[in-house]
Amino acid sequence: MAQENQLKVGKVLKVTRKIYDVAVDDIIMPCVIRGKLAIEDSQYGSVRAGDNVQVLAASDGQGVIQEILPRKSSLSRIIASRAYKEQIIATNIDQILIIMSTQKPSFKSGLLDRYLIIAEKNQINALICINKIDLADKKDFDMYIDEYGKLGYTAFSTSALTGEGVDELINNLKQKVTLFVGYSGVGKSSLINAVEPDADIETQRISPKTNKGLHTTSSVQLFPLSFNGFAGDTPGIRELGLWNILRKDLQRYYVEFHKYANECQFVDCQHINEPGCAVKKALQSGHIFSERYKNYLTIYDSLKAAHYD
Ligand code: GDP
Ligand code: ZN
């Protein structure tokens, strides 16, 4: 019996009340947690989706999580209903994939910019994928790919329907832990099915039909990709960490402002209507994408309304 209990390293895919789904080798092992690990033994407090853990695999296919291995990053949000406590919703996320469409639903650049702010704030790489290009005019989505590409973000287009661009999507997901985010109906589930055509049970779990009931909580669920890597989604990411940004700090997350900001007349320039603002000058000369600047003003106002300073 003793030799059947093996220590292995796995990745936590999903956290429910008592059972943790852990990817170990090629299987998903339901695990429990070694008593007290959650609070007392670990510097990390509790096990989260994305954690790499050491598990003791028992002969009955169950496992016991022994230890949380070092986290390289974590994505958290602040919960207003719990006295603004910070909650880690996922760890070791390499990148977020922001999915947009230009038609059905229409392009929501304000939402895109909010996701980018979240990524910048959490220092997580962000990729932009414009899906449903079979429904759109090439010039419409190319414009966004060009504008956001110029900011340094990897941006590309796909159609889950025709398969166009799916290879590029796969290349960007390989060896990475990627969180899929985007407005409802943009094709997140369809794209996951498109990158995993041999949909096994794991893929089924995230399909449009079956995924609804699973996400009763706002926790992240990761699933393994056959070409190495993990993909996951969270219904709660929209509330992630945006409104705990002070409005004066918002500009930090706009990568294109950086190179102009130190030429502004005032050190604490917010680039709204201060005299001698180099960012506004860059906007007027077409060096800053006007739609994104417009979103900056809207987001800035929303932070002001939240009484943070
Ligand atoms: P989700 O809510 O982001 O997961 O979106 P779904 O994957 O459920 O897709 C919403 C709807 O859009 C479904 O009816 C899909 O069949 C459709 N859809 C998804 N991707 C594409 C695409 O690339 N082109 C077209 N024409 N329809 C798509
Ligand atoms: Zn300025």
Side-chain angles (χ1 to χ4, degrees), residues 131-132 134-135 158-161 183-190 208:
N131 188 40
K132 303 201 182 188
D134 56 289
L135 300 178
T158 57
S159 167
L161 191 74
Y183 198 75
S184 168
V186 292
K188 294 182 292 295
S189 312
S190 305

Side-chain angles (χ1 to χ4, degrees), residues 34 100 105 226:
R34 182 165 65 84
M100 292 277 134
S226 57

